[in-house]
Amino acid sequence: MANDLSLLLDHLQLDRPIVVGSSMGALILWEYISRYGCRRLSKICVVDQSPRLRTDGAWTLGIYSDWTPERNAAFVAALEADFPETVLRLIAHGHNRKAREVYETNSPDTQRLRAYLATLDPQPLIAAWNSLIDADYRAVLPTITVPALLIYGSESNYYGAATAHYVEEAIPGATLLVYAGADHSPHICQPRKFADDLKRFADDAPASNVQLPGPSAAAV
């Protein structure tokens, strides 16, 4: 997928674009930078992602702050058995209380997402998951040489304040914005604010900010 991004830049003949990566898109963007550097990019925007999904005794800033190899193995087995329901449970059983309630009440949105997931071929997606869960981009973050805007949800399903601040501190000069009440998709929860903040970032103007408690969270 990182190679696809490189080919897309070639095909569209883009001259130093701003690239936005949300969730898995952020991992693809970091993989791209690990392979190609930042030479062809002007700026990047990362939406609610950790540089390493899997956790261990020395790293607790991945999924749920507790995604061990054993837990991941059980998750992959569940994907093989019932892909749609396992994905729905991944969304619901994290840090976001509202997401759990939406799943437990089998809301219309849950039903629609379940029906959509059932149309997908799970095998390529499981293969992609196995690749992503083994990735570690912590060493890539300090090599980023273009301005970076980081947007995280204060009610992210998967990550807490410490993950957002880790990425902020690891990327030189990064700007962190936290959307109050937003989940893992802050750009969907607050689309107008996201569009406005992204435009300010593109135009080099100051952006509004809501801070999560944590270290070195300087106001923007």
Side-chain angles (χ1 to χ4, degrees), residues 49-92:
Q49 189 53 280
S50 169
R52 188 185 184 201
L53 304 186
R54 193 171 58 203
T55 64
D56 56 35
W59 175 254
T60 61
L61 304 183
I63 299 172
Y64 297 170
S65 304
D66 180 25
W67 197 263
T68 62
E70 296 77 15
R71 188 169 189 173
N72 184 69
F75 175 73
V76 171
L79 287 174
E80 296 279 1
D82 188 343
F83 181 81
E85 211 62 33
T86 302
V87 172
L88 290 173
R89 288 195 295 265
L90 176 70
I91 297 168

Side-chain angles (χ1 to χ4, degrees), residues 84-85 88 102-119:
E85 211 62 33
L88 290 173
V102 166
Y103 175 72
E104 291 176 348
T105 59
N106 196 27
S107 72
D109 285 343
T110 298
Q111 295 175 43
R112 281 191 291 270
L113 182 53
R114 182 183 290 112
Y116 167 70
L117 292 169
T119 68

Side-chain angles (χ1 to χ4, degrees), residues 3-171:
N3 289 339
D4 287 343
L5 175 56
S6 178
L7 292 170
L8 183 66
L9 298 182
D10 289 339
H11 179 71
L12 298 179
Q13 299 181 345
L14 296 178
D15 182 23
R16 291 176 55 78
I18 299 172
V19 179
V20 181
S22 169
S23 189
M24 185 173 71
L27 300 176
I28 295 168
L29 178 56
W30 289 332
E31 177 66 26
Y32 170 89
I33 291 171
S34 76
R35 297 181 183 208
Y36 301 101
C38 294
R39 177 181 58 84
R40 300 183 64 187
L41 309 176
S42 65
K43 300 178 181 181
I44 63 170
C45 175
V46 168
V47 181
D48 207 74
Q49 189 53 280
S50 169
R52 188 185 184 201
L53 304 186
R54 193 171 58 203
T55 64
D56 56 35
W59 175 254
T60 61
L61 304 183
I63 299 172
Y64 297 170
S65 304
D66 180 25
W67 197 263
T68 62
E70 296 77 15
R71 188 169 189 173
N72 184 69
F75 175 73
V76 171
L79 287 174
E80 296 279 1
D82 188 343
F83 181 81
E85 211 62 33
T86 302
V87 172
L88 290 173
R89 288 195 295 265
L90 176 70
I91 297 168
H93 291 169
H95 300 311
N96 189 290
R97 177 183 54 82
K98 183 178 179 181
R100 182 182 296 269
E101 293 173 353
V102 166
Y103 175 72
E104 291 176 348
T105 59
N106 196 27
S107 72
D109 285 343
T110 298
Q111 295 175 43
R112 281 191 291 270
L113 182 53
R114 182 183 290 112
Y116 167 70
L117 292 169
T119 68
L120 304 179
D121 179 359
Q123 292 308 314
L125 300 172
I126 294 171
W129 175 271
N130 287 331
S131 172
L132 296 171
I133 206 69
D134 286 337
D136 186 347
Y137 298 109
R138 289 176 291 179
V140 175
L141 302 186
T143 72
I144 294 173
T145 56
V146 294
L149 175 64
L150 315 175
I151 297 181
Y152 284 72
S154 70
E155 304 298 324
S156 173
N157 308 55
Y158 311 116
Y159 310 115
T163 302
H165 291 300
Y166 176 91
V167 177
E168 176 197 19
E169 292 178 359
I171 299 178

